[in-house]
């Protein structure tokens, strides 16, 4: 090793200083001048404090929760979940189930195996610490419908991005479900390219990442000949993520909705997703099935969803897609830099603040001194930064 | 500046001169290679011939004289050939012009050979030029004839010893009638305006009068008439080829102020083309938007808003047939092809009683008739579309035809917008106009017109939208007497749209909507006497709407066919209107229209619980009516009044009251008209929309009549405006009435305008302050919007400033510029954010509480007309226009998107955020 390395080799792309920012700004400016949609944050003075209820009850054990929160100002920070409320679910046979708040602010039934029964009707009742009483109507838990199939197809998006489109098929032989919604949890295994030998534990190489869906996925078969959903496009995995790099899995949950809940989601999509067109819909107050019984003029946002639910898991292995597309590694940016003592403490500290870490050190045995540090972005050797090191129990199912 | 005639040196030598005509003059002296000025001086000193020219032109012209003696004619021809100068002569006067020729056709212009009448007196064959009194103040554009026309059969006079003079005013080149030409008897201070058939009639005392005729863009004419009895004077007006500074005859000025209707705007195609050649097409609706009181929610939005009314509250007529969707490519273009438009009239208030059915305005667009004299071809190419039209006589001077088509050939405009959702889109349109008119005989005239257009577009998705407009009109005009004529019309209009998606074969579908309209009407105009002009008539309309039919496409499609039952209704109207001139200063136009709607089966009529919000659960009863059975009737009187009081020769005040009923609803829950918005007819559970408007105005001519200033104020209230509950699917909804709410509207405003209509420099400047508010309140919580408080409508833009100016710096070159500024339209912003599931969502509450940034746009267009070649008659025009010169990124909307990291972000959408340059080439021969 050469002992007189003069300075830290800094890769410019990773450290945009004021100077390197400049051309970026110019390019951005040009985009703004010629582009037609660009960020614009209007000054919003008003704020309305409204209670938000998010409740779910299905026939699946453990799939029941209620969250209570308040709206927060447009320019403000998210509010903390509502405390001190009495939350209970009542069925049409007058059975009461009390929900209590856990440390994350979510109200859960005491009996973790609690689930709803198909055909029963359920009502959510809430008394907040401020004395408001919020109730839903009785919502029927519809019979769940199995997911027939989840599959993928390789395709290119209109903008040319290649990826996998995930589809779903389902049908109700009894032809009485009509309204469906889906959500899903993605899990994938990823490997970081570097290993720390001396500073950190070497086991931080393989992790699993979990992501829950963030889109409202609904479909109504009311206008179809059959109560059948074929080829419903759930989502698209483009090749800019490393989801498909090693092994990938998704758990899709299918809910059979009441008509009211379906309509609630449809409006939610219209108002929050279908925007930026020439024909935007006039926004309206979006309320679901929750009503403030003492003061009905006070809106309550959110919805209590009672559904028959079913689940299905899909695995995608690297081998299955290798011929279809190339998945770039997420870690191509990883480069190791050599830090020497000459760089001094402040410089090293600032690097560390930027998300770098000393992965390993080089110790000069002759002088008994640590001469160099091998610095790298921490995510390049520590998978726990972006994932969970414990292997999910379903991981080896298939 | 080539306004040369005004600075023309008129040289009159009062010497004793030889009486000769120009072609008789032989020059015996050798002028070869001497200056033209010398020759002119020599001729003028020796003969009673007069030359008109500018010294600086002739100074450099060398006389060519090949032999001595030589004829003056030959010398002039040879000397001027090779220069830009030409000359015109009436044998006595020689007018030298630079770069263009004067056409001599004055004698013909006084007669209309197409409509011979035994009472038309033929003007003397002598060239009237000769009899003109040349004084320094007389310009070419004002040709005062000294010949006296003797009109009428002596003895045939009307009551009170008055005689009626009537006739038709036509365009000289095409024989087509001129609407709105001013016929004015200056010595009586009495005048009228020609109607849409070019017809005028006046009852005046017999005797000597001076009749003036004036129309914008045409040469003013003045006749001395000796009215001996009832008679006809048909006049054809020549195009004002020499663009001179307009000379305002004092009497006309007074007349204009007297005749202005409050809230009426009128514009012909020349003005439309000059003012807005946005994206290369002279666009009628874009021009209308520049008028005070006319607004839009944003550029690219379909339709317009008049005095705080919705886009559905405008009756848009094309030769009398209603147009249900006036736009191509969403709203970037109007369906009116500039090649065939003659003019439009926009009534903002004081709507005459013959019109009904919409609350806010009437946009009456006239399509020109074919040329009765010769065949002509016009066309044009712009980056968006190509146009071609052919018109000409079928039987010379009796029957004509017009066929015109326009077709887009690129998605040019969509690529200019740079809106992500439009870049991956495509759009195309075509339209076809046809018109034929036939003067069967003196008493009967038949006109038929048809229009067809189609649009297709795909909006960044796999859904293909198409719509179609089809309309046809047939008019028979019968003249019962000089004072009474009537028109019987048959009108058909059909608008349909469809959307289809075939990308997912299991869900491939086709959805369509159709409205068809069949109308029969008669309109009579009766010139009762010099004080009263009556209009009366009746109309009946049959509507048939298919509100939606959904069909599967292909064998695999799972779509369940669904067809909503048709809506049928008959709308009727009878009206009477009287234009009554009470005194010289005061005149009123009052009218009554009685309209009604008969709703017809087959349909199910529901009853709802009276003390609960309407819903499927509160339906208590239903009655089924079979086909053609009446399910309900509603109707009522509509009062119309306008009054004018003159405060002197150049000043007047006006007052108007308008009361309208509208039986058609446009169903839309978007800010701008969307491709799937549709029309629905009122019925037993959906009462007609109603409006009342009062307006008043003050008008004055300033700067010796060159500039008209006006101020108008109005207040309008409307009832039964459609609004919708949140969470309503409008399309394919058989129970729409359950989800509709009823609102009230109020709008008020003040419109200020200064307008210079004539001259090389013309245009207008206007400022409008106006408000438009809506209230949806009910005793039921679910039936309220905005908590039952008033909120601004989507098109409430209080301040609006418009400057339109045209400057013609030579006869062939002109520059136009428009500047518009307006307050940003209202928009609903969220009052809070919240979390639901994994999403960050927005909570909206108070409607339209905020505004998008203000709108400002500056456009420039340069127009070059090709040199007119009198032999080939080929006309070329090139227009270069820049839309949004400053490239200001005017906001169309502000919207919010929740991105991947759960964070909602605001965005601004602007349609044209950079200047758009267009070059358009037009031709005609």
């Amino acid at each position: 090793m050469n002992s007189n390395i003069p300075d830290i080799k800094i890769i410019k792309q990773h450290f945009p200083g004021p100077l390197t920012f400049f051309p970026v700004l110019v390019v951005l400016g040009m985009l703004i001048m010629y582009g037609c949609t660009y960020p614009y944050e209007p000054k919003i003075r008003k704020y309305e404090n409204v209670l938000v209820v998010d409740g779910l009850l299905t026939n699946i054990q453990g799939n029941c929760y209620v969250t209570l929160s308040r709206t927060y100002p447009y320019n403000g920070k998210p509010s903390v979940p509502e405390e001190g409320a009495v939350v209970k679910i009542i069925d049409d046979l007058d059975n009461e189930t009390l929900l209590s708040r856990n440390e994350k602010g979510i109200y859960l039934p005491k009996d973790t195996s609690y689930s709803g029964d198909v055909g029963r009707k359920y009502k959510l009742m809430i008394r907040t610490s401020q004395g408001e009483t919020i109730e839903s109507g009785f919502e029927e838990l519809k019979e769940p419908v199995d997911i027939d199939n989840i599959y993928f197809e390789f395709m290119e998006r209109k903008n040319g991005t290649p990826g996998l489109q995930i589809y779903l098929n389902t049908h109700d032989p009894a032809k009485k479900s009509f309204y469906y919604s889906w959500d899903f949890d993605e899990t994938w295994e990823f490997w970081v390219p570097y290993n720390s030998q001396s500073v950190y534990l070497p086991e931080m190489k393989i992790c699993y990442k979990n992501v829950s869906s963030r889109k409202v996925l609904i479909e109504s078969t009311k206008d179809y000949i059959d109560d059948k959903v074929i080829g419903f496009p759930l989502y698209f995995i483009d090749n800019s993520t490393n989801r498909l790099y090693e092994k990938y899995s998704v758990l899709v949950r299918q809910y059979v909705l009441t008509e009211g809940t379906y309509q609630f989601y449809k409006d939610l999509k219209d108002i929050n997703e279908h925007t930026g067109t020439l024909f935007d819909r006039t926004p309206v107050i979006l309320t679901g099935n929750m009503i403030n019984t003492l003061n009905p003029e006070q809106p309550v946002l959110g919805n209590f969803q009672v559904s028959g639910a079913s689940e299905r898991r899909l695995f995608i292995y690297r081998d299955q897609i290798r011929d279809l597309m190339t998945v770039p590694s997420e870690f191509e940016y990883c480069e190791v830099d050599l830090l020497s003592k000459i760089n001094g403490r402040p410089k090293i500290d600032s690097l560390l603040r930027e998300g770098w870490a000393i992965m390993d050190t080089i110790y000069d045995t002759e002088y008994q001194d640590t001469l160099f540090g091998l610095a790298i972005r921490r995510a390049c050797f520590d998978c726990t930064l972006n994932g969970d090191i414990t292997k999910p129990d379903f991981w080896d199912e298939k | 500046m080539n306004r040369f005639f005004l600075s023309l040196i008129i040289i009159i030598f009062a010497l004793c001169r030889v009486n000769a005509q120009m072609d008789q003059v032989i020059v015996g002296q050798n002028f070869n290679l001497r200056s033209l000025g010398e020759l002119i001086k020599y001729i003028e000193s020796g003969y009673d011939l007069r030359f008109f020219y500018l010294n600086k032109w002739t100074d450099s012209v060398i006389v060519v004289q090949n032999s001595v003696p030589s004829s003056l004619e030959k010398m002039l021809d040879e000397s001027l050939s090779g220069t830009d100068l030409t000359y015109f002569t009436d044998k006595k006067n020689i007018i030298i012009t630079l770069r263009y020729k004067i056409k001599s056709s004055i004698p013909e212009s006084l007669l209309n050979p197409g409509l011979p009448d035994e009472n038309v007196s033929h003007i003397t064959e002598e060239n009237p030029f000769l009899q003109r009194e040349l004084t320094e103040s007389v310009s070419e554009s004002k040709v005062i004839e000294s010949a006296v026309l003797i009109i009428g059969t002596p003895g045939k006079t009307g009551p009170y010893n008055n005689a009626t003079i009537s006739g038709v005013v036509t365009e000289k080149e095409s024989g087509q009638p001129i609407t709105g030409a001013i016929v004015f008897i200056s010595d009586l201070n009495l005048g009228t305006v020609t109607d849409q058939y070019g017809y005028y009639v006046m009852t005046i005392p017999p005797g000597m009068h001076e009749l003036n005729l004036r129309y914008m863009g045409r040469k003013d004419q003045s006749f001395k008439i000796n009215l001996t009895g009832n008679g006809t004077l048909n006049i054809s007006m020549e195009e004002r080829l020499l663009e001179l500074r307009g000379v305002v005859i004092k009497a006309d000025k007074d007349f204009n102020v007297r005749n202005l209707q409050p809230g009426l705007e009128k514009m012909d195609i020349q003005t439309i083309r000059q003012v807005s050649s946005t994206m290369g097409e002279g666009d009628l609706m874009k021009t209308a938007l520049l008028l005070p009181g006319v607004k839009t929610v944003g550029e690219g939005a379909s339709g317009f808003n008049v005095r705080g009314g919705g886009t559905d509250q405008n009756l848009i007529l094309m030769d009398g047939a209603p147009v249900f969707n006036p736009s191509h490519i969403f709203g970037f273009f109007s369906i009116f092809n500039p090649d065939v438009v003659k003019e439009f009239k926009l009534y903002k208030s004081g709507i005459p009683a013959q019109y009904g059915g919409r609350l806010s305005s009437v946009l009456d667009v006239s399509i020109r008739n074919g040329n009765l004299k010769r065949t002509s071809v016009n066309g044009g190419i712009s980056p968006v579309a190509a146009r071609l039209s052919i018109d000409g006589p079928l039987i010379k001077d009796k029957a004509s035809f017009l066929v015109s088509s326009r077709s887009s050939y690129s998605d040019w405009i969509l690529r200019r917008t740079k809106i992500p959702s439009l870049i991956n889109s495509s759009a195309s349109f075509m339209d076809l106009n046809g018109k034929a008119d036939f003067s069967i005989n003196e008493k009967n005239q038949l006109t038929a017109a048809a229009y067809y257009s189609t649009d297709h577009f795909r909006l960044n998705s796999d859904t293909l939208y198409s719509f179609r407009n089809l309309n046809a009109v047939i008019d028979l005009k019968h003249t019962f007497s000089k004072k009474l004529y009537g028109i019987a019309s048959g009108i058909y209009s059909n608008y349909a749209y469809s959307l289809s998606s075939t990308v997912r074969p299991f869900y491939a579908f086709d959805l369509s909507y159709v409205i068809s309209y069949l109308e029969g009407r008669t309109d009579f105009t009766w010139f009762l006497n010099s004080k009263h002009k009556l209009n009366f008539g009746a109309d009946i309309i049959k509507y048939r709407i298919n509100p939606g039919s959904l069909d599967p496409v292909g064998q695999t499609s799972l779509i369940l066919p669904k067809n909503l039952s048709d809506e049928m209704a008959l709308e009727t109207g009878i009206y009477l209107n009287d234009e009554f001139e009470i005194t010289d200063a005061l005149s009123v136009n009052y009218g009554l229209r009685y309209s009604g709607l008969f709703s017809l089966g087959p349909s199910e009529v529901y009853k709802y619980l009276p003390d609960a919000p309407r819903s499927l659960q509160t339906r208590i009863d239903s009655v089924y009516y079979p086909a053609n059975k009446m399910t309900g009737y509603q109707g009522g009187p509509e009062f119309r009044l306008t009054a004018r009081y003159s405060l002197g020769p150049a000043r007047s005040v006006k007052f108007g009251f308008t009361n309208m009923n509208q039986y058609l609803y446009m169903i839309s829950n978007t800010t701008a008209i969307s491709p799937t918005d549709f029309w629905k007819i009122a019925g037993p559970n959906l009462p007609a929309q109603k409006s009342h408007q009062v307006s008043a105005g003050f008008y004055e001519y300033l700067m010796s009549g060159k500039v008209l200033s006006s101020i108008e104020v109005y207040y309008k209230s409307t009832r039964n405006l459609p609004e919708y509950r949140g969470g309503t699917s409008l399309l394919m909804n058989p129970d729409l009435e359950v989800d509709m709410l009823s609102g009230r509207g109020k709008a008020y405003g003040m419109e200020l305008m200064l307008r210079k209509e004539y001259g090389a420099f013309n245009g207008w400047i206007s400022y409008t302050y106006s408000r438009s508010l809506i209230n949806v309140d009910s005793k039921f919580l679910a039936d309220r919007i905005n908590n039952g408080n008033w909120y601004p409508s989507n098109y409430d833009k209080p301040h609006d400033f418009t400057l339109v100016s045209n400057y013609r710096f030579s006869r062939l070159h002109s520059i136009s510029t428009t500047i518009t500024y307006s307050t940003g339209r209202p928009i609903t912003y969220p009052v809070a954010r919240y979390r639901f599931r994994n999403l960050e969502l927005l909570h909206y509450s108070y409607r339209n509480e905020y505004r998008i940034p203000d709108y400002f746009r500056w456009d420039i267009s340069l127009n070059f007309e090709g040199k007119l070649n009198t032999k080939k008659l080929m006309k070329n025009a090139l227009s270069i226009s820049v839309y949004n010169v400053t490239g200001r990124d005017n906001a169309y909307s502000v919207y919010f998107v929740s991105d991947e990291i759960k964070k909602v972000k605001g965005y601004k959408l602007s349609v044209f955020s950079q200047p758009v340059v267009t070059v358009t080439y037009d031709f005609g021969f």
Side-chain angles (χ1 to χ4, degrees), chain B residues 885-905:
Chain B
V885 176
T886 58
R888 184 182 152 89
D889 39 18
N890 285 304
Y892 178 88
S893 70
V894 171
Y895 64 98
F896 303 89
V897 174
S898 183
D899 68 7
E900 290 292 308
I901 46 170
K902 291 198 213 173
K903 188 83 183 146
V904 170
K905 284 191 174 137

Side-chain angles (χ1 to χ4, degrees), chain A residues 35-36 38 40-41 46 48 54 65 72 74 213-214 223-225 229-230 265 267 275 278 282 305, chain B residues 417 507 558 560 669 727 833 837-840 843-846 849 889 892 896 900 906 908 910 913-914:
Chain A
C36 261
Y38 46 87
Y40 176 83
E41 290 298 344
K46 260 200 182 131
E48 224 177 61
D54 177 6
Y65 71 86
Y72 45 96
Y74 181 82
S213 57
R214 292 211 174 100
D223 290 334
Y224 301 161
I225 291 167
V229 178
I230 301 175
Y265 285 128
D267 291 344
T275 55
L278 290 179
T282 310
Q305 177 184 337
Chain B
T417 65
Y507 302 100
L558 291 174
L560 187 72
N669 60 2
R833 297 176 192 240
R837 296 287 147 101
N838 282 319
L839 309 161
E840 182 169 60
H843 172 48
Y844 295 92
S845 178
Y846 306 101
E849 202 188 11
D889 39 18
Y892 178 88
F896 303 89
E900 290 292 308
K908 181 167 118 177
S910 62
S913 57
Q914 51 183 321

Side-chain angles (χ1 to χ4, degrees), chain B residues 265-290:
Chain B
E265 307 284 355
K266 196 182 126 176
M267 231 165 253
D268 64 7
I269 186 64
Q270 272 86 5
T271 317
I272 295 169
R273 277 186 194 272
Q274 211 170 19
V275 168
S276 87
S277 46
T278 320
M279 316 292 166
E281 303 265 319
D283 195 297
L284 188 151
M285 304 239 296
K286 293 276 183 311
T287 308
L289 284 175
L290 296 169

Side-chain angles (χ1 to χ4, degrees), chain B residues 100-312:
Chain B
Y100 56 85
K101 273 186 168 160
I102 295 176
K103 284 202 269 179
S104 160
S105 47
I106 288 108
E108 294 161 46
S109 74
L110 298 176
L111 299 172
N112 188 332
L115 295 154
D117 191 298
E118 77 271 20
N119 292 330
V120 176
S121 62
H122 291 253
I123 198 160
T124 150
E125 285 298 318
E126 261 180 295
N127 192 322
F129 240 86
L130 292 172
Q131 299 174 349
R132 196 181 71 196
E133 284 179 10
L134 271 174
T135 63
E136 268 184 302
S137 66
V138 173
S139 84
E140 277 294 321
S141 69
K142 185 180 163 190
V143 183
I144 294 177
E145 317 301 341
S146 61
V148 174
L149 305 175
I150 299 154
I151 293 172
T153 319
K156 268 196 186 175
T157 52
Y160 313 111
N161 274 338
N162 279 349
T164 302
I165 178 167
S166 62
V168 175
V169 178
T170 53
E171 296 178 352
K172 193 188 157 285
E173 321 80 64
S174 68
Q176 289 311 326
I178 294 174
T179 309
I182 295 163
V183 184
F184 190 77
I185 309 289
S186 49
D187 50 310
L188 296 174
N189 216 13
L190 242 172
T192 187
V193 178
T194 57
D195 64 12
Q196 68 262 46
Y197 300 96
Y199 185 73
Y200 72 94
V201 60
M202 269 189 289
T203 307
I204 52 173
M208 293 286 283
H209 298 291
E210 187 177 278
L211 186 146
N212 296 295
L213 187 62
R214 199 175 129 195
Y215 186 70
M216 201 183 156
R218 306 227 157 234
K219 278 188 184 169
D220 295 346
Q221 295 189 27
S222 185
F223 306 95
K224 289 224 164 70
I225 57 169
N226 185 0
L227 191 66
T228 55
N230 293 347
T232 304
L233 177 65
N234 295 326
I235 310 160
S236 69
M237 294 183 85
E238 199 179 350
E239 215 172 336
R240 185 155 43 181
L241 283 174
L242 310 173
E243 190 62 42
L244 302 168
R245 190 200 291 174
V247 175
V248 181
I249 301 168
K250 214 179 160 209
D252 282 9
K253 177 181 67 190
D254 166 59
F255 177 75
N256 252 354
V257 170
R258 291 162 60 103
N259 196 52
L260 264 174
Q261 228 193 309
L264 171 65
E265 307 284 355
K266 196 182 126 176
M267 231 165 253
D268 64 7
I269 186 64
Q270 272 86 5
T271 317
I272 295 169
R273 277 186 194 272
Q274 211 170 19
V275 168
S276 87
S277 46
T278 320
M279 316 292 166
E281 303 265 319
D283 195 297
L284 188 151
M285 304 239 296
K286 293 276 183 311
T287 308
L289 284 175
L290 296 169
L291 295 168
V294 186
K295 296 177 192 210
T296 174
V297 294
E299 54 195 339
S302 184
F304 54 91
N305 305 93
V306 177
R307 287 190 171 173
T311 45
D312 57 330

Side-chain angles (χ1 to χ4, degrees), chain B residues 581-707:
Chain B
E581 196 175 320
I582 301 166
T583 70
D584 241 18
L586 178 67
S587 66
V588 292
N589 186 346
Y590 58 98
L592 174 72
R593 179 180 177 82
Y594 198 96
S595 64
L597 184 81
F598 298 87
S599 305
L600 301 178
S603 74
E604 196 100 32
V605 175
Y606 298 101
K607 273 209 180 92
Y608 297 89
L609 277 174
D611 46 2
R614 255 187 220 175
S615 74
L616 295 180
Q617 285 76 41
T618 57
R619 261 184 192 168
I620 47 173
D621 190 19
S622 82
V623 183
Y624 179 78
Y625 292 89
N628 295 320
K629 190 100 179 159
M630 198 173 102
T631 63
Y633 168 79
Q634 52 183 315
E638 303 172 31
F639 300 97
R640 317 287 171 82
L641 171 74
T642 59
R644 181 266 306 151
Y645 187 76
S646 293
L647 297 169
R651 251 183 237 132
S652 69
V653 286
K654 311 271 165 64
F655 171 81
F657 177 79
T658 313
N659 176 201
M660 309 287 287
N661 287 353
Q662 176 167 343
Y663 300 99
L664 272 184
Y665 279 85
M666 183 189 257
I667 307 298
S668 168
N669 60 2
T670 51
T671 305
I673 295 186
S674 96
T676 54
D677 289 350
F678 58 92
W679 296 90
K680 181 177 175 63
I681 192 125
N685 282 319
L686 201 57
Q689 304 181 61
K690 288 169 190 291
S691 77
H692 299 266
Q693 186 189 170
V694 285
S695 59
F698 174 76
Y699 310 81
E700 182 174 9
Y701 269 105
L702 307 172
M703 298 169 69
S704 60
K706 288 186 193 110
V707 175

Side-chain angles (χ1 to χ4, degrees), chain B residues 265 267-269 271-278 281-306 310-318 322-338 341 343-346 361-366 406 431 451 467 469 666 673 679 764 800 802 804 818 820 855 857 859 883:
Chain B
E265 307 284 355
M267 231 165 253
D268 64 7
I269 186 64
T271 317
I272 295 169
R273 277 186 194 272
Q274 211 170 19
V275 168
S276 87
S277 46
T278 320
E281 303 265 319
D283 195 297
L284 188 151
M285 304 239 296
K286 293 276 183 311
T287 308
L289 284 175
L290 296 169
L291 295 168
V294 186
K295 296 177 192 210
T296 174
V297 294
E299 54 195 339
S302 184
F304 54 91
N305 305 93
V306 177
T311 45
D312 57 330
Q313 297 174 4
N314 308 312
L315 179 63
I316 301 171
L317 297 174
M318 188 192 264
V323 172
F324 292 103
N325 184 342
S327 304
H328 283 311
I329 316 188
F330 331 127
F332 291 119
F333 299 97
S334 75
I335 62 162
F336 301 102
N337 179 346
V341 170
E343 61 180 16
F344 75 81
K345 273 187 271 186
L346 177 69
S361 78
V362 177
L363 179 72
D364 191 355
V365 179
S366 313
R406 181 164 67 143
D431 52 26
Y451 174 79
F467 64 82
N469 269 303
M666 183 189 257
I673 295 186
W679 296 90
W764 69 85
D800 186 300
T802 304
V804 175
T818 62
T820 55
Y855 184 88
R857 200 185 78 229
D859 305 337
Y883 181 85

